[in-house]
Amino acid sequence: MNKHTSLNRIELVCDYISHHLDQELNLDILSEVGACSKYHFHRIFKAYMGISAIQYVQMARLKRASFRLAFEPKYTITDIAYEANFDSPEAFSRAFSRIFAQTPSQFRARPDWHQWHARYDIHPPKRGNSMLEVQVVDFAERNVALIEHYGHPSRVLETAGKFIQWRKTTGLSPIDKSETFGIPYSDPSQTAEEEFRFDICGTHQGEVPENEFGVKAGIIPAGRCAMAIHKGSLDRIGETIYQIYQGWLVESGEETRDFPCFFRYLNFVHQVDECDLETEVYIPLK
């Protein structure tokens, strides 16, 4: 898949959204329209468009709502709110006011079109960072022990603590002799808290017996991957991920595989200063 094909797919998704505003538009549906793995679609869309697919859907619905308010008085604000897929007129008013700095009633009476146009002046981010070194590697399959985290990203460390306790209790995956991986199944900034999943994994010896920590056996599959090293705080690892999507992936013409991106931690904060952390970022490729 070349970069022009990638752009065509995003344009196809945007066109689909504009023609299906009254239908359900979630990431599963949109990734299928774009013929892209659901694990990567949200990041690829944001890399091209500068906003997430769900934000784009909301902005498209609010654009129609704006025209209804300004030019079609036969529609009540309540009608427009429900048409825009909001649960209530109050929720619609809050969202509209937050984005356009006018309530729906104020906009209907005297729309600030300058402010309105500014909100739709969307510029995709600059493509990549020439300083980031990305290479294509053949990743060998790993049998891992893993624990699944569900919930707010800020609580991942609590789940990591359980995995560390399992490691210490069983001795099957000593941290100094085993690899440690993290697998985010979506972008936490674009995922509802209750839907966010992050697996913490480690290579191990022997079988993974049943245990009180919820650790179980799993596999990170073999395959080609784009790999770059993120240096520094893990709080900013998203910047490296998006540099790969925005720059390297666009220019390379490569296509993502149906497995989420994942990390291999080369060191840890109890070993080095946070600024000296190094983490390999992998984007699975076809």
Side-chain angles (χ1 to χ4, degrees):
M1 180 180 69
N2 59 42
K3 62 181 178 180
H4 301 294
T5 303
S6 299
L7 181 57
N8 291 342
R9 290 185 179 184
I10 297 303
E11 290 175 343
L12 180 65
V13 171
C14 292
D15 185 64
Y16 181 88
I17 291 171
S18 68
H19 286 88
H20 296 82
L21 292 178
D22 294 322
Q23 299 179 18
E24 183 177 6
L25 295 169
N26 57 40
L27 287 178
D28 287 338
I29 293 170
L30 297 179
S31 61
E32 185 174 346
V33 171
C36 179
S37 166
K38 65 181 180 180
Y39 297 122
H40 304 281
F41 169 76
H42 57 292
R43 290 191 173 97
I44 292 174
F45 189 96
K46 187 173 182 180
Y48 276 95
M49 299 302 297
I51 60 175
S52 74
I54 299 306
Q55 287 174 316
Y56 187 91
V57 169
Q58 185 183 68
M59 292 298 289
R61 286 172 170 159
L62 287 175
K63 177 178 283 189
R64 181 176 64 177
S66 301
F67 295 146
R68 294 268 197 259
L69 289 167
F71 305 120
E72 300 188 71
K74 67 180 179 180
Y75 287 93
T76 69
I77 291 177
T78 297
D79 292 336
I80 295 169
Y82 288 127
E83 184 187 47
N85 205 44
F86 285 87
D87 293 333
S88 68
E90 293 76 19
F92 170 67
S93 182
R94 288 193 297 270
F96 195 95
S97 300
R98 183 179 65 253
I99 293 172
F100 300 115
Q102 285 187 295
T103 67
S105 297
Q106 290 170 337
F107 189 89
R108 167 158 274 178
R110 190 174 182 178
D112 183 349
W113 289 114
H114 179 75
Q115 174 72 18
W116 186 91
H117 279 291
R119 298 303 297 156
Y120 285 99
D121 188 18
I122 299 171
H123 297 285
K126 294 181 180 180
R127 301 297 183 194
N129 184 331
S130 60
M131 299 302 293
L132 184 68
E133 295 184 9
V134 181
Q135 56 183 308
V136 176
V137 299
D138 290 315
F139 183 85
E141 180 181 281
R142 304 290 206 281
N143 292 307
V144 295
L146 66 87
I147 186 170
E148 298 172 345
H149 169 84
Y150 288 94
H152 199 283
S154 66
R155 304 191 69 174
V156 168
L157 290 178
E158 295 179 18
T159 305
K162 295 178 182 178
F163 189 72
I164 292 171
Q165 286 299 314
W166 175 84
R167 275 182 149 170
K168 292 179 177 178
T169 301
T170 65
L172 296 176
S173 180
I175 193 170
D176 57 336
K177 297 180 181 179
S178 306
E179 296 177 300
T180 303
F181 297 91
I183 308 176
Y185 281 76
S186 60
D187 182 344
S189 68
Q190 309 297 330
T191 308
E193 176 181 329
E194 65 276 9
E195 297 175 0
F196 180 65
R197 174 184 170 186
F198 189 99
D199 288 357
I200 300 159
C201 318
T203 54
H204 61 92
Q205 305 165 354
E207 300 296 322
V208 179
E210 291 188 11
N211 58 87
E212 61 181 306
F213 303 100
V215 175
K216 58 185 180 180
I219 293 175
I220 302 178
R224 297 171 67 249
C225 295
M227 190 277 287
I229 296 179
H230 171 77
K231 298 182 179 181
S233 172
L234 294 175
D235 292 340
R236 302 184 65 178
I237 199 167
E239 297 175 12
T240 297
I241 295 172
Y242 274 102
Q243 284 178 29
I244 300 174
Y245 281 106
Q246 293 165 358
W248 184 87
L249 190 62
V250 172
E251 297 299 328
S252 70
E254 293 281 358
E255 189 171 354
T256 55
R257 183 160 34 100
D258 196 28
F259 190 80
C261 71
F262 59 94
F263 316 136
R264 183 166 80 101
Y265 304 102
L266 303 182
N267 51 21
F268 302 94
V269 289
H270 65 274
Q271 298 170 332
V272 299
D273 292 334
E274 187 176 36
C275 61
D276 293 323
L277 287 172
E278 292 193 345
T279 307
E280 291 176 343
V281 177
Y282 291 86
I283 309 293
L285 304 174
K286 290 185 177 179

